[in-house]
């Protein structure tokens, strides 16, 4: 599962080459999706009006909702000092879940915002996910 945090969402909306190629390629692969935590989309939209239109126009992008379990877990993470609401929702989405097998990858500009053990990939890392 590939997750985009707020910084990656903003970059995708801004035309980031590697992220746009990734979103386009994933649209052609059945079942491959880029997941955006709802609170990351909310923060990105709060920072830039109508950003959601550019991001959600990709058919490979879905929003990971903030349900009851996620709400309480994200709230606990915020209280425990793991970061703001958007960072904690991205972290929650990257945690292992029963409905997903394999490892989650969190795409971000700020790898240092996440604790050890979370697989983060910088969006500007040379060769990020095989894209240059």
């Amino acid at each position: 599962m590939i997750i985009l945090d707020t910084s990656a969402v903003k970059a995708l909306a801004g035309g980031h080459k590697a992220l746009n190629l990734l979103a386009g390629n994933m649209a052609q692969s059945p079942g491959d999706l880029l997941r955006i935590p709802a609170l990351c989309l909310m923060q990105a939209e709060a920072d830039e009006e109508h950003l959601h239109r550019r991001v959600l126009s990709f058919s490979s992008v879905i929003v990971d909702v903030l349900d009851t379990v996620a709400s309480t877990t994200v709230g606990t993470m915020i209280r425990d000092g793991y970061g703001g609401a958007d960072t904690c929702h991205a972290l929650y989405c990257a945690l292992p879940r029963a409905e997903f097998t394999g490892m989650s990858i969190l795409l971000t500009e700020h790898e240092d915002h996440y604790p050890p053990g979370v697989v983060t990939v910088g969006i500007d890392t040379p060769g990020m996910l095989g894209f240059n």
Side-chain angles (χ1 to χ4, degrees):
M1 177 168 56
I2 298 177
I3 303 155
L4 281 66
D5 78 351
T6 303
S7 62
V9 171
K10 289 179 179 182
L12 178 63
H16 189 277
K17 182 180 177 182
L19 289 176
N20 277 261
L21 284 171
L22 178 63
N25 287 341
M26 290 184 86
Q28 297 178 22
S29 301
D32 286 342
L33 299 169
L34 295 173
R35 300 182 86 76
I36 298 176
L39 295 180
C40 292
L41 181 60
M42 177 206 66
Q43 185 61 55
E45 180 66 24
D47 293 344
E48 183 181 333
E49 185 177 18
H50 303 303
L51 172 140
H52 73 280
R53 293 178 182 172
R54 294 188 303 277
V55 172
L56 297 178
S57 66
F58 289 100
S59 63
S60 60
V61 170
I62 63 166
V63 176
D64 199 298
V65 299
L66 190 68
D67 62 14
T68 305
V69 173
S71 296
T72 57
T73 306
V74 169
T76 300
M77 289 176 173
I78 294 167
R79 186 184 63 237
D80 290 347
Y82 284 97
D86 59 330
T87 300
C88 289
H89 194 195
L91 178 57
Y92 170 80
C93 290
L95 295 174
R97 299 193 217 178
E99 65 266 26
F100 299 110
T101 58
M103 186 182 319
S104 295
I105 299 170
L106 181 57
L107 300 181
T108 181
E109 282 186 346
H110 310 287
E111 295 177 81
D112 59 328
H113 287 187
Y114 300 95
V118 176
V119 179
T120 57
V121 175
I123 61 171
D124 293 317
T125 303
M128 187 265 302
L129 297 178
F131 299 100
N132 290 316

